[in-house]
Structure formats: C-alpha cells, structure tokens
Amino acid sequence: MANSLNTITVNGVTYNSEAYASANAVTKTNNELDKNAFLTLLVTELQNQDPLDPQDNSEFVAQMVQFSTLEQMSNMSSALGDINTLVGNIDTSVLVGQLSGMIGKGLDWIETVETADDKGNPVSTTESFSGIITGVTVADGVTKVIAQTEDGKTYQVGVNNIAYVYELNDNSENPSDSGVATEEVVAEV
C-alpha cells in the first residue's frame, strides 16, 4: 500500500520505494576492478613468474593488503554518500514540516534585484516584500515558501530571504485583507 512515507516524487513522477530502487539500480560494468579481478590477476602473476627467480610472498601479501584497503575505502566512500543523501532527505523533510506549520501566517522577505545602469554595469538592489504564506514547494532540492502579496501576486521565497514570520490579526474575515501583524513574532531569521 503506497502512502507518503514510502513514496518519492522525482520530476513529477511518483514511485513507491521498490520501483524507485529498481529504476535507479546501478549496474556494474566489466571494466571495474573488484576482488575477483585482483585474485585472477594474482593467480596469473603466480603462473607466469620465473621459477628460478620467484617473487617473495611478502610482495603478494602487501599487494593484497593494499587492494583490500583500497576496496574498503571505496566501500566506505559509497556508504558515506548514501548517508549524506539520507541526511539531506531528512533535513528537507523536517524543513518542509516546519514551513508547512507557517501556512496562513504573515511573511516579510527581502529579494535582491539585479539590474543594469545606463552604461550596462550590473547594479544590485534589495526590495522588501510582505505577504501571506500559502504553501511550501521543493524543486530541484531547494525548499521555498509560496507567498501571496496583498495585490494577489504569488512569489516563491527562498528560506534565506525570509526576514519575519508573524501571526496575522484576526479582526477581519479574510486575513489577507487586513495584512496587520500582531506583536507576536513566530520566527525571525
């Protein structure tokens, strides 16, 4: 049974955990060196050595230790990559949960606007905006809140651009009409 805890949506396509794992399975190519390739190489080396001047056994043991160490480092690197992905997914899920709790609250944010002067030189200015949080979105691994201003425009606001999140005054039937903030600040970044 699919639910939000065992599904993943990638580029608009929702997979259950088994389908996603099979779709993203990595196949091993034959040109990669693994333990079996090393042992095959070692046996070939032993078969083709000069019987009057054999190699020292310690050289073979040293080569085996070096290869084993390299293989373990490779396995650890792969495992750390998997852990990094898992932690990133958990961080995103926690952030989305926290931001979802702010839907319906007032939001002040700052946007940097890039323009050019009359000579074509880049000029950066900052503009302040206010609105109401209407949703949360995650696109290409970036989490943003969706905010609607009093004039009805919708913006996707990066978490780093948020200045204040606050409770709206409940004096009117539609909080977006009042736009008046109470003194309680919910979050300040």
Side-chain angles (χ1 to χ4, degrees):
M1 180 167 139
N3 63 42
S4 62
L5 296 177
N6 64 4
T7 61
I8 185 169
T9 302
V10 178
N11 296 330
V13 179
T14 302
Y15 301 92
N16 66 22
S17 57
E18 294 83 20
Y20 180 74
S22 66
N24 292 300
V26 177
T27 57
K28 194 172 192 178
T29 60
N30 288 336
N31 59 358
E32 292 181 18
L33 289 177
D34 61 359
K35 201 180 303 182
N36 291 334
F38 175 76
L39 291 175
T40 302
L41 183 62
L42 181 64
V43 167
T44 303
E45 199 172 67
L46 286 171
Q47 289 174 342
N48 294 317
Q49 71 176 337
D50 184 1
L52 300 175
D53 187 21
Q55 289 184 338
D56 186 13
N57 287 340
S58 61
E59 288 180 38
F60 291 117
V61 172
Q63 287 176 358
M64 195 174 295
V65 167
Q66 286 175 344
F67 184 80
S68 179
T69 302
L70 180 63
E71 183 180 32
Q72 291 305 317
M73 288 173 59
S74 175
N75 291 342
M76 187 170 25
S77 175
S78 175
L80 286 175
D82 292 345
I83 290 171
N84 187 32
T85 301
L86 178 65
V87 168
N89 289 342
I90 290 171
D91 286 347
T92 300
S93 296
V94 168
L95 182 60
V96 167
Q98 290 173 338
L99 293 174
S100 294
M102 296 180 186
I103 293 175
K105 298 191 184 329
L107 175 69
D108 292 340
W109 74 95
I110 298 170
E111 294 281 339
T112 302
V113 179
E114 301 290 332
T115 57
D117 63 10
D118 22 336
K119 294 182 181 179
N121 298 322
V123 177
S124 295
T125 57
T126 57
E127 292 184 31
S128 298
F129 295 91
S130 293
I132 297 174
I133 300 173
T134 60
V136 178
T137 183
V138 179
D140 295 325
V142 178
T143 305
K144 296 182 179 184
V145 295
I146 300 170
Q148 185 173 16
T149 58
E150 199 171 287
D151 61 359
K153 290 183 181 177
T154 302
Y155 294 87
Q156 290 188 9
V157 181
V159 176
N160 294 338
N161 295 0
I162 296 173
Y164 296 103
V165 176
Y166 48 88
E167 294 289 340
L168 295 173
N169 191 351
D170 289 332
N171 291 339
S172 73
E173 291 181 21
N174 184 357
S176 65
D177 290 340
S178 71
V180 178
T182 62
E183 293 300 313
E184 178 186 0
V185 174
V186 176
E188 186 173 329
V189 182

